[in-house]
Amino acid sequence: MSPFVLMKIALKALFRNRMRTFLSVLGIVIGVAAVIAMVAMGEGSKQSIKDQMTSMGTNAIIIMPNRDRRGGVQTESAVSLEEADVIALREEAQYIDAVSPMITAGGQAIAGNNNSPTALSGISSDYLRIRNYEIDEGVMFDDNADRMAKVCVIGQTVVKNLFPEGNPLGKTIRYKSIPLKVIGTLKGKGGGDFGQDQDDVIFAPYQTVMKRFNATTEIRQIFANTIGEGYAEQATEEIMGILKERRQWTRPTDPFRIFTQEEMITMMTNTSDMLSLVLTVIAGISLFVGGIGIMNIMYVSVTERTKEIGLRMAIGARGRDILLQFLFESVAISLLGGLIGIALGIGASQAVKSILNWPMSVSLTSVVVSFGVCFMTGVFFGWYPARKASRLDPIEALRFE
């Protein structure tokens, strides 16, 4: 019997039991849609993380005091970063292109009747180059002329929150009762899908924040960037060497920790990959359950149609024909559910992206793999019931009631 005729018989058998077929298809639809959506969420998250980290500076390096745990309590090294460290790195490091300290003060920024809970960051002008910020209007403060000046540069989110009705240039922001004159605004970088809004920033000269707001000479972090891609390892060794030499450091532990952008991207990507794997496995369980549903339905179908199978064998149908017919039915259910599930999964991904603004990225690979898994599911879970049907004894089948 030709495969075309067998397919026709299989489809007629499926349409005779529409509700049962629908329920079988539904299990596959849910499983495939869940897998597509979960993979899209994982891929979107991974790409979003990479884009955000790249927008913060592809060659960035962060230096901070080393922290360890002793007796279950987090302690900090007695060694702190100083302004002299920034100067030393600028003058001596060959693999460093730009260096900026970072000192942060928490509080409310107030302008007239408006306020914004934005942290104030003390930096040098090099920070803009390190983190890929650009001046939109006005000017950036000068590291020498504005060393202790009460001036600031603000991001677009702060502009919207504090100055919704006009140009902020020349106006004053009060931060912890200290006035700061706005001399520039930054071009928008866009809010990230994760983490802090990159436009919700207020930058002031680091000496201003260090002395006027925090009353300290300690620098919490130093930001730098390398002279190009591929120099992260050399730059890290060079920075640590300079900082240790300044302190004549001889202990086995390092006094500071240095994070490169490449390490942070790798770490975040690995975390995202692990999360994607867990979500995909969970979604794959529903696809497996759908396959069991197909097997169960095919068993019921074989039992119900035992007499029909015996009759067909009696008039010349071979065991292989019966086997292929039931396999066609199983694969048809699985592939139909797969097609609908893929469409539903893509639609759900787009809906989540549009409504919840969650990063979603449907890859062609996940669609192709899902379709292939559906085919294999139909064959795998349909094989045993089909094999059982093909091995029925025609005489016993005709006697079945």
Side-chain angles (χ1 to χ4, degrees), residues 100-107 109 117-125 127-128 131 133 140-141 143 149 151-155 158 175-176 180 186 196-210 213-214 219-221 223:
S100 171
M102 166 71 82
I103 305 99
T104 304
T118 306
L120 174 66
S121 299
I123 60 168
S124 71
S125 58
Y127 186 82
L128 268 61
R131 286 304 199 188
Y133 281 101
M140 181 61 179
F141 46 79
D143 291 337
V151 296
C152 67
V153 173
I154 60 177
V158 180
Y175 204 94
K176 289 187 176 180
L180 295 172
L186 300 167
Q196 189 178 6
D197 181 0
Q198 295 182 78
D199 295 327
D200 190 17
V201 293
I202 302 175
F203 295 146
Y206 70 90
Q207 281 282 359
T208 301
V209 178
M210 195 160 52
F213 291 88
N214 291 352
I219 294 175
R220 298 295 295 175
Q221 294 177 323
F223 284 78

Side-chain angles (χ1 to χ4, degrees), residues 35-106:
V35 170
I36 293 288
M38 291 301 102
V39 172
M41 183 179 293
E43 289 297 318
S45 300
K46 184 163 61 177
Q47 188 58 47
S48 176
I49 289 168
K50 286 183 178 179
D51 292 343
Q52 278 192 66
M53 300 296 281
T54 301
S55 71
M56 292 164 62
T58 54
N59 305 318
I61 293 175
I62 303 174
I63 309 156
M64 60 181 62
N66 197 6
R67 293 176 173 83
D68 58 6
R69 288 186 175 272
R70 295 176 186 174
V73 179
Q74 181 169 290
T75 62
E76 187 173 322
S77 169
V79 181
S80 60
L81 291 166
E82 306 167 345
E83 185 179 10
D85 294 320
V86 179
I87 297 170
L89 292 176
R90 282 176 179 162
E91 293 177 351
E92 300 176 27
Q94 298 180 0
Y95 293 102
I96 295 299
D97 179 52
V99 183
S100 171
M102 166 71 82
I103 305 99
T104 304

Side-chain angles (χ1 to χ4, degrees), residues 101-147:
M102 166 71 82
I103 305 99
T104 304
Q108 285 272 346
I110 302 171
N113 295 324
N114 301 313
N115 63 80
S116 176
T118 306
L120 174 66
S121 299
I123 60 168
S124 71
S125 58
D126 278 349
Y127 186 82
L128 268 61
R129 184 148 47 109
I130 295 169
R131 286 304 199 188
N132 290 335
Y133 281 101
E134 295 180 29
I135 293 293
D136 184 31
E137 294 182 331
V139 295
M140 181 61 179
F141 46 79
D142 185 272
D143 291 337
N144 296 318
D146 300 321
R147 185 174 176 82

Side-chain angles (χ1 to χ4, degrees), residues 1-6 9 312 316-318 320-321 324-325:
M1 192 175 293
S2 70
F4 179 76
V5 174
L6 290 173
I9 295 172
R312 292 188 58 210
R318 295 169 296 178
R320 189 183 69 175
D321 297 330
L324 288 177
Q325 177 190 332

